[in-house]
Amino acid sequence: MNAAVHISGLKKSYNGTEALKGVNLSIGEGEFYALLGPNGAGKTTMINILTGLVIKNEGTTEVFGKDTIKDYRFTRAQIGTAAQELPSDWFFPIEKLLYFQAGYFGISAQNAKPRVNELMDRLGLTEKKGSRLRQLSGGMKRRFQLAKALIHDPNILILDEPTAGVDVELRHELWDYFRELHKGGKTILLTTHYIEEAEMLCENVSIIHEGKVIKEGSPKALTQSLGKAGITIHFSGWNESLEPKLSNFSYTHEDGRLHFTVQDSEKTLPEIIAILAGEQCRIQSVKTDQSSLEDVFLSLTGKGIHEETTK
Ligand code: ADP
């Protein structure tokens, strides 16, 4: 089966600034995928090449096996993009803008009507349907961007920093909606520099740094690759016979507190608990401390993700 998105050897320079230095990645159909990287890493350039807004210098970009330049009509129809920047159509009511957008994809007003109504309803825009974009709050503008991206029911949804600058409540609401769309079968490509967002939503993540993919995998595999999860257990009932039983683990023990350093806390914790329970220890508390994608990013680049890439 063809990947939903396949990028190979992709390079792009803007007047001598190398924004992409040979990117390879593949996104399976139905996957929820994140491009995670600091500002300036090249994420927007990559999605703009996919959607035909930016012209690449080298490499290939395919959508469901079709080249995004040769077969652009097909590939563009597969994708809906909720961009960071707002369009400049400030003068029309937002409902009208949705009809215009449907028109770009050859959908008549009559056929678009149920979809426009459904999206406005689902995204809480119905009351604002007569408003102009400039009259909308920041949160409402985000909702509108999403409705616009989804109007032609694309197979692939691209979300460029979809929750940058939105309040916590709307962020959670949007996350719920993204999960719902993913469950419904959409392939979702999200760019973000919010680690939490990639960790919570996505099945696979590419960490992008200075125009290159420096690591790819599931958030769990990436965080486990650091092997730094910790488990701290407070308990009573230590006895000498525990020592040989725990000898396979890396741990420290002092007065009713055990601290383990493990590769995979989900797998190891039940084993440790079983050993302690088998020796009639009474467990008072358990705390696990898995390393995060932030740690992964830091260990790979020596920088925090919120530090801007400087060229
Ligand atoms: P991100 O989306 O990860 O923040 P971008 O793709 O926007 O990264 O930018 C990657 C690099 O390319 C940055 O150094 C940025 O300044 C540069 N860049 C992006 N767009 C342009 C442009 N239109 N002209 C010149 N340089 C650009």
Side-chain angles (χ1 to χ4, degrees):
M1 197 170 61
N2 284 321
V5 174
H6 186 73
I7 295 177
S8 163
L10 188 61
K11 293 190 182 173
K12 172 69 190 175
S13 297
Y14 301 98
N15 309 317
T17 304
E18 275 186 284
L20 298 176
K21 300 174 184 167
V23 167
N24 302 305
L25 62 86
S26 235
I27 304 174
E29 187 170 2
E31 209 174 326
F32 204 145
Y33 197 98
L35 300 178
L36 179 69
N39 288 331
K43 306 179 297 297
T44 304
T45 299
M46 211 184 301
I47 62 176
N48 284 346
I49 290 173
L50 273 179
T51 54
L53 290 174
V54 165
I55 297 170
K56 70 188 176 192
N57 296 125
E58 274 181 49
T60 54
T61 44
E62 290 175 353
V63 168
F64 294 113
K66 305 263 191 198
D67 188 273
T68 59
I69 296 176
K70 275 193 243 131
D71 292 304
Y72 72 93
R73 275 180 204 280
F74 169 83
T75 63
R76 282 185 207 174
Q78 302 303 310
I79 301 177
T81 310
Q84 281 190 60
E85 279 156 43
L86 276 172
S88 48
D89 324 280
W90 298 102
F91 307 107
F92 296 98
I94 58 164
E95 183 183 33
K96 197 123 203 130
L97 293 178
L98 293 179
Y99 279 105
F100 288 163
Q101 183 70 10
Y104 292 137
F105 290 97
I107 306 167
S108 68
Q110 198 187 353
N111 288 337
K113 195 169 182 199
R115 183 89 183 140
V116 169
N117 290 341
E118 179 199 324
L119 283 169
M120 282 199 307
D121 185 40
R122 178 62 185 82
L123 286 161
L125 289 163
T126 307
E127 264 182 39
K128 302 280 176 192
K129 66 182 181 185
S131 304
R132 280 41 177 181
L133 270 178
R134 66 187 142 78
Q135 297 167 319
L136 297 186
S137 66
M140 283 290 167
K141 285 184 185 130
R142 293 272 165 181
R143 291 163 195 261
F144 168 76
Q145 288 286 76
L146 205 49
K148 190 172 161 218
L150 288 166
I151 198 72
H152 59 299
D153 200 13
N155 287 314
I156 302 173
L157 175 64
I158 297 182
L159 303 165
D160 194 5
E161 300 274 356
T163 64
V166 313
D167 64 32
V168 179
E169 201 183 331
L170 178 58
R171 179 170 300 162
H172 282 93
E173 205 182 301
L174 291 173
W175 285 350
D176 283 345
Y177 189 43
F178 300 157
R179 287 194 187 99
E180 188 182 312
L181 292 166
H182 174 230
K183 265 202 197 130
K186 291 224 186 297
T187 304
I188 305 183
L189 171 59
L190 170 113
T191 78
T192 188
H193 62 275
Y194 288 123
I195 303 262
E196 198 195 358
E197 190 156 85
E199 248 168 8
M200 290 200 18
L201 297 174
C202 298
E203 290 151 323
N204 273 307
V205 174
S206 267
I207 297 182
I208 316 285
H209 183 57
E210 296 181 352
K212 280 185 288 202
V213 174
I214 53 169
K215 194 93 179 171
E216 196 195 358
S218 68
K220 194 167 168 219
L222 294 183
T223 51
Q224 283 175 4
S225 70
L226 282 187
K228 281 205 311 198
I231 299 175
T232 307
I233 300 178
H234 286 94
F235 72 108
S236 61
W238 172 263
N239 69 65
E240 297 300 313
S241 56
L242 277 166
E243 247 168 55
K245 293 188 173 159
L246 294 175
S247 64
N248 284 338
F249 300 100
S250 157
Y251 74 96
T252 56
H253 169 230
E254 52 179 294
D255 313 326
R257 178 185 175 277
L258 276 164
H259 181 79
F260 296 85
T261 304
V262 299
Q263 194 86 29
D264 178 352
S265 59
E266 260 176 52
K267 180 170 161 283
T268 317
L269 182 59
E271 295 171 20
I272 295 171
I273 301 279
I275 292 170
L276 294 177
E279 289 295 322
Q280 274 70 54
C281 297
R282 279 190 306 282
I283 294 165
Q284 283 126 21
S285 72
V286 176
K287 187 170 159 274
T288 59
D289 177 20
Q290 187 74 47
S291 57
S292 68
L293 282 180
E294 179 103 50
D295 300 325
V296 178
F297 189 82
L298 195 65
S299 82
L300 291 169
T301 66
K303 282 188 196 167
I305 198 160
H306 299 287
E307 291 173 46
E308 188 131 351
T309 301
T310 47
K311 295 244 167 68

